[in-house]
Amino acid sequence: RLFERKHRVVEIGRRGIARDRGDLVVVLPEGGLEGRLEMPGIDPIERRQAKGRGPVGQQRIAGAQGRHRPRFSRCIGIGQDSGLHGRAPFGNPRLSPTRPLDTLRVYECQQGQPMTTDSTPSFKLTYSTMFDPPAALHQRFEQALEGLPAVEGQTHPMWIDGREAWAQQSFELRSPIDRTRLLGRFQLGQAEHAQAAVRAAHVASRSWAATPWQERLVLLRKAAALIEERVYQLSAALAVEVGKNRMESIGEVQETADLISWYCDQMEVNDGFVKSLPNDPLPGWTSRNSTRLRPYGAWLVIAPFNFPFALAGGPIGAALATGNTVVFKVASDTALSGTLLMNVFRDAGLPDGVVNHVTGAGGTIGEALVNDPGVAGITFTGSYEVGMEIASRFARGHWPRPC
């Protein structure tokens, strides 16, 4: 529905949400719920997607009214705890039907009273807000911790070309917090697994690069949404595996979703990075110029132990959004995080071979990956010595490869 406030047009409907500098009223007709909605920090009219999954069931924002201080009999807190949430914008004022929104904040009130900003708003965790979280965050994290032992101790495969891949040997991963706690068993991949993963990524790169970038973004945004849906389960596993405190673990997992979404946003804002340039000033001739972003091919991502989720998921999102395929490996001490991240991309529906995940020692499978001529480029996070050695290798050959 459209309505006017302060001479601006605001739309809330099936495709998204837009706002001006004023306040909005969100109405959830199925539950008779309405309240004053504030999205601080979002300037001119921007259309943004929103999804509602409040206690009244699966719902979408379906209408809005332009009353400044509404009165109502029932209200609902909308934010990260209720499932209706979003992500902070990145400063571009262009209209976009698929860009994320800032966290929706609906303030509690009493029956028959106008909504005010005096009550505590709902919470969105970021690295800057993690120091004063609501009690609900701790409760949900504790619940995820309690459920973690049920999935510990399993044997996990690698994932190559859309199928499970098993090695002759495996290794155990135990928590640094409690060495008696077996988190899982993972494959001790060898050079042949590295070659198979790179080959699968190389073959899949042709069709993935030919896929319209808009379709690629749909799958990547689905992956980001799955990370947000699983944020507590993923962060609980990350905390037990790495030894981080809960706030840093939740922050890293949420950041991974934000990074993937940001790369999608950049592709969209820049229209796939296809730009027309001025024609050459040649009398009697028409010489047209343009720039076009083209993928490299099979991209390798190697992530460290201290940020295994964000420093794997972020580069993977960038590579996939721009049309590259991926082989990735995290440190063996954080193999569980890598497996859980692979599950996200698999569940998001990415085609076979587009994302491949291997595990094992850096001196064997990691070395084989770096030396494989089928790797078109690499994102590596690790020691200075190893990074400089990789840069030197990638500079040699018929042409320098990006790293």
Side-chain angles (χ1 to χ4, degrees):
R1 240 183 310 183
L2 294 177
F3 66 95
E4 287 191 84
R5 285 186 53 79
K6 300 181 181 179
H7 309 292
R8 297 174 184 262
V9 177
V10 179
E11 177 183 0
I12 294 182
R14 292 183 179 179
R15 292 193 59 190
I17 178 170
R19 67 152 315 213
D20 63 0
R21 294 178 181 272
D23 299 323
L24 306 181
V25 176
V26 173
V27 180
L28 301 177
E30 297 88 343
L33 307 176
E34 64 183 45
R36 174 175 162 190
L37 170 65
E38 294 194 356
M39 289 183 289
I42 304 181
D43 263 358
I45 306 175
E46 294 184 357
R47 184 182 301 169
R48 303 176 182 275
Q49 284 188 332
K51 56 183 178 180
R53 296 191 305 276
V56 293
Q58 299 289 331
Q59 303 170 350
R60 294 183 66 87
I61 295 177
Q65 299 176 359
R67 297 173 295 178
H68 182 60
R69 295 177 65 82
R71 294 180 178 272
F72 51 91
S73 59
R74 299 172 65 192
C75 69
I76 183 173
I78 299 178
Q80 184 165 326
D81 294 337
S82 68
L84 181 57
H85 61 280
R87 295 174 298 277
F90 289 89
N92 192 296
R94 289 184 55 185
L95 289 175
S96 171
T98 53
R99 291 188 56 215
L101 66 154
D102 192 16
T103 300
L104 307 183
R105 298 182 179 180
V106 173
Y107 298 90
E108 299 289 349
C109 67
Q110 297 181 356
Q111 180 173 352
Q113 298 297 321
M115 299 190 76
T116 68
T117 59
D118 296 332
S119 302
T120 302
S122 60
F123 180 79
K124 174 177 173 61
L125 178 69
T126 66
Y127 281 118
S128 61
T129 64
M130 65 170 60
F131 301 102
D132 188 25
L137 180 142
H138 295 292
Q139 294 170 359
R140 297 185 67 176
F141 184 84
E142 291 290 345
Q143 292 173 356
L145 277 179
E146 292 174 0
L148 197 57
V151 297
E152 291 178 1
Q154 299 179 4
T155 301
H156 301 275
M158 296 178 285
W159 194 259
I160 299 174
D161 200 17
R163 293 182 292 273
E164 296 178 351
W166 303 86
Q168 293 183 351
Q169 293 179 299
S170 63
F171 64 94
E172 293 184 348
L173 178 61
R174 297 182 179 273
S175 171
I177 302 171
D178 181 0
R179 301 303 294 175
T180 65
R181 192 166 180 176
L182 177 63
L183 300 182
R185 295 180 178 86
F186 300 86
Q187 304 307 301
L188 198 59
Q190 301 298 314
E192 59 266 27
H193 299 107
Q195 295 168 2
V198 173
R199 184 168 56 251
H202 179 71
V203 171
S205 65
R206 301 163 190 167
S207 59
W208 182 247
T211 301
W213 61 266
Q214 296 90 338
E215 296 180 18
R216 298 198 298 260
L217 299 194
V218 170
L219 295 175
L220 288 175
R221 284 186 166 125
K222 184 175 180 181
L226 287 175
I227 291 174
E228 289 191 291
E229 289 177 9
R230 303 172 185 180
V231 62
Y232 291 103
Q233 291 79 10
L234 295 172
S235 58
L238 182 64
V240 172
E241 181 180 45
V242 181
K244 290 188 175 187
N245 63 50
R246 66 183 60 189
M247 305 310 296
E248 291 189 354
S249 298
I250 298 173
E252 179 180 346
V253 173
Q254 178 60 46
E255 180 186 37
T256 307
D258 292 340
L259 287 170
I260 295 172
S261 298
W262 186 81
Y263 290 121
C264 291
D265 296 340
Q266 295 308 299
M267 284 291 293
E268 189 172 63
V269 167
N270 290 280
D271 198 22
F273 288 94
V274 177
K275 305 287 185 180
S276 296
L277 302 177
N279 295 341
D280 289 337
L282 300 175
W285 296 88
T286 301
S287 177
R288 295 184 175 87
N289 302 295
S290 64
T291 63
R292 179 183 298 270
L293 178 68
R294 295 188 183 277
Y296 284 95
W299 196 269
L300 176 60
V301 175
I302 298 181
F305 76 95
N306 53 345
F307 283 90
F309 218 82
L311 291 182
I316 291 172
L320 295 177
T322 51
N324 300 280
T325 53
V326 171
V327 177
F328 82 99
K329 176 191 178 301
V330 301
S332 296
D333 288 339
T334 55
L336 178 59
S337 293
T339 298
L340 296 176
L341 181 60
M342 181 66 242
N343 291 345
V344 167
F345 288 113
R346 181 195 65 197
D347 295 345
L350 272 77
D352 294 348
V354 170
V355 181
N356 305 272
H357 173 233
V358 296
T359 55
T364 53
I365 192 169
E367 186 77 7
L369 288 170
V370 172
N371 289 331
D372 196 309
V375 171
I378 181 174
T379 301
F380 168 83
T381 309
S383 70
Y384 173 83
E385 292 77 12
V386 175
M388 291 302 295
E389 174 61 25
I390 292 174
S392 176
R393 293 186 195 181
F394 275 53
R396 296 193 294 265
H398 296 292
W399 58 85
R401 291 176 289 169
C403 61

